[in-house]
Structures are given as structure tokens and as C-alpha cells.
Coordinates of all heavy atoms in Angstrom, one line a residue:
A20 N 96.5 95.0 106.4 CA 97.7 95.2 107.2 C 98.9 95.4 106.4 O 99.8 96.3 106.7 CB 97.9 94.0 108.2
R21 N 99.1 94.7 105.3 CA 100.3 94.9 104.5 C 99.9 95.0 103.0 O 100.1 94.1 102.2 CB 101.2 93.6 104.6 CG 102.0 93.6 105.9 CD 102.9 94.8 106.1 NE 103.9 94.9 105.1 CZ 105.1 94.4 105.1 NH1 105.5 93.6 106.1 NH2 105.9 94.7 104.1
P22 N 99.3 96.1 102.6 CA 98.8 96.3 101.2 C 100.0 96.2 100.2 O 99.9 95.8 99.1 CB 98.2 97.6 101.2 CG 98.7 98.4 102.4 CD 98.9 97.3 103.4
D23 N 101.2 96.7 100.7 CA 102.4 96.7 99.8 C 102.7 95.3 99.3 O 103.2 95.1 98.2 CB 103.6 97.4 100.5 CG 104.0 96.7 101.8 OD1 103.0 96.2 102.5 OD2 105.2 96.6 102.1
V24 N 102.6 94.3 100.3 CA 103.0 92.9 99.9 C 102.1 92.4 98.8 O 102.6 91.8 97.8 CB 102.9 92.0 101.2 CG1 103.1 90.5 100.8 CG2 103.8 92.5 102.2
Y25 N 100.8 92.5 99.0 CA 99.8 92.0 98.0 C 99.9 92.8 96.7 O 99.8 92.2 95.6 CB 98.4 92.0 98.5 CG 98.2 91.0 99.6 CD1 98.4 91.3 100.9 CD2 97.9 89.7 99.3 CE1 98.2 90.3 101.9 CE2 97.6 88.7 100.2 CZ 97.8 89.1 101.6 OH 97.7 88.1 102.6
A26 N 100.1 94.1 96.8 CA 100.2 94.9 95.5 C 101.5 94.4 94.8 O 101.4 94.3 93.5 CB 100.4 96.4 95.9
T27 N 102.6 94.2 95.4 CA 103.8 93.8 94.7 C 103.6 92.3 94.1 O 104.1 92.1 93.0 CB 105.0 93.8 95.7 OG1 105.1 95.1 96.2 CG2 106.3 93.4 95.0
L28 N 103.0 91.5 94.9 CA 102.8 90.1 94.4 C 101.9 90.2 93.1 O 102.2 89.5 92.2 CB 102.1 89.3 95.5 CG 101.7 87.8 95.1 CD1 103.0 87.1 94.7 CD2 101.1 87.1 96.3
G29 N 100.8 90.9 93.1 CA 100.0 91.0 91.9 C 100.7 91.6 90.8 O 100.6 91.2 89.6
K30 N 101.6 92.7 91.0 CA 102.4 93.2 90.0 C 103.3 92.2 89.3 O 103.6 92.2 88.2 CB 103.2 94.5 90.4 CG 102.3 95.7 90.7 CD 103.1 96.8 91.3 CE 104.2 97.3 90.3 NZ 105.0 98.4 90.9
A31 N 103.9 91.4 90.2 CA 104.8 90.4 89.7 C 104.1 89.3 88.9 O 104.6 88.8 87.9 CB 105.5 89.6 90.9
Y32 N 102.8 89.0 89.3 CA 102.0 88.0 88.5 C 101.9 88.6 87.1 O 102.0 88.0 86.1 CB 100.6 87.8 89.1 CG 100.6 86.9 90.3 CD1 99.6 87.1 91.3 CD2 101.5 85.8 90.4 CE1 99.5 86.3 92.4 CE2 101.4 85.0 91.5 CZ 100.4 85.2 92.5 OH 100.4 84.4 93.6
A33 N 101.5 89.9 87.1 CA 101.2 90.6 85.8 C 102.4 90.6 84.9 O 102.4 90.4 83.7 CB 100.6 92.0 86.0
A34 N 103.6 91.0 85.5 CA 104.8 91.2 84.8 C 105.3 89.9 84.3 O 106.1 89.8 83.3 CB 105.8 91.8 85.7
S35 N 104.9 88.8 84.9 CA 105.4 87.5 84.5 C 104.4 86.8 83.6 O 104.5 85.6 83.3 CB 105.7 86.5 85.7 OG 104.5 86.4 86.5
G36 N 103.5 87.6 83.0 CA 102.5 87.0 82.0 C 101.3 86.3 82.6 O 100.7 85.4 81.9
Q37 N 101.0 86.6 83.9 CA 99.8 86.0 84.5 C 98.8 87.0 84.9 O 98.5 87.2 86.1 CB 100.2 85.2 85.7 CG 101.3 84.2 85.4 CD 101.8 83.5 86.7 OE1 101.1 82.7 87.3 NE2 103.1 83.8 87.1
P38 N 98.2 87.8 84.0 CA 97.4 89.0 84.4 C 96.1 88.5 85.0 O 95.5 89.2 85.9 CB 97.1 89.6 83.0 CG 97.4 88.7 82.0 CD 98.5 87.8 82.5
K39 N 95.6 87.3 84.7 CA 94.4 86.8 85.3 C 94.6 86.5 86.8 O 93.7 86.8 87.6 CB 93.9 85.5 84.6 CG 93.3 85.7 83.2 CD 92.8 84.4 82.6 CE 92.3 84.6 81.3 NZ 91.8 83.4 80.6
R40 N 95.8 86.0 87.2 CA 96.0 85.8 88.6 C 96.1 87.2 89.3 O 95.7 87.3 90.5 CB 97.4 85.0 88.7 CG 97.3 83.6 88.4 CD 98.6 82.9 88.8 NE 98.7 82.6 90.2 CZ 99.7 82.1 90.8 NH1 100.8 81.7 90.1 NH2 99.8 81.9 92.0
A41 N 96.6 88.1 88.6 CA 96.7 89.5 89.2 C 95.4 90.0 89.5 O 95.1 90.6 90.5 CB 97.6 90.4 88.3
V42 N 94.5 89.9 88.4 CA 93.1 90.4 88.6 C 92.4 89.7 89.8 O 91.8 90.4 90.6 CB 92.3 90.2 87.3 CG1 90.8 90.4 87.6 CG2 92.8 91.2 86.2
E43 N 92.5 88.4 89.8 CA 91.9 87.6 90.9 C 92.4 88.1 92.3 O 91.6 88.2 93.3 CB 92.1 86.1 90.7 CG 91.4 85.6 89.5 CD 91.8 84.2 89.1 OE1 92.7 83.7 89.8 OE2 91.3 83.6 88.1
L44 N 93.7 88.2 92.4 CA 94.3 88.6 93.7 C 93.8 90.0 94.1 O 93.4 90.2 95.3 CB 95.9 88.6 93.6 CG 96.6 89.1 94.8 CD1 96.4 88.1 96.0 CD2 98.1 89.3 94.5
F45 N 93.9 91.0 93.2 CA 93.5 92.3 93.5 C 92.0 92.5 93.9 O 91.6 93.3 94.7 CB 93.9 93.3 92.4 CG 95.4 93.4 92.2 CD1 95.9 93.6 90.9 CD2 96.2 93.5 93.3 CE1 97.3 93.7 90.8 CE2 97.6 93.7 93.2 CZ 98.1 93.8 91.9

């Protein structure tokens, strides 16, 4: 329903040095 929300959250995880959280979310 809101892919933009999750895409932005994952990008924020990655940009803040949490790539593993980004991978898990995506």
C-alpha cells in the first residue's frame, strides 16, 4: 500500500550506518 514509506525507511537505515537493518526490512 505504501512502498515509498518502507523504501525511505530502509534508505535511512542504510545512510545511518545500519545496512543489515535495511537488508532485513527490504
Side-chain angles (χ1 to χ4, degrees):
R21 287 299 303 268
D23 58 322
V24 175
Y25 289 92
T27 303
L28 179 58
K30 285 176 67 180
Y32 284 149
S35 60
Q37 305 175 68
K39 288 184 180 178
R40 289 187 74 183
V42 168
E43 290 167 1
L44 177 68
F45 292 140

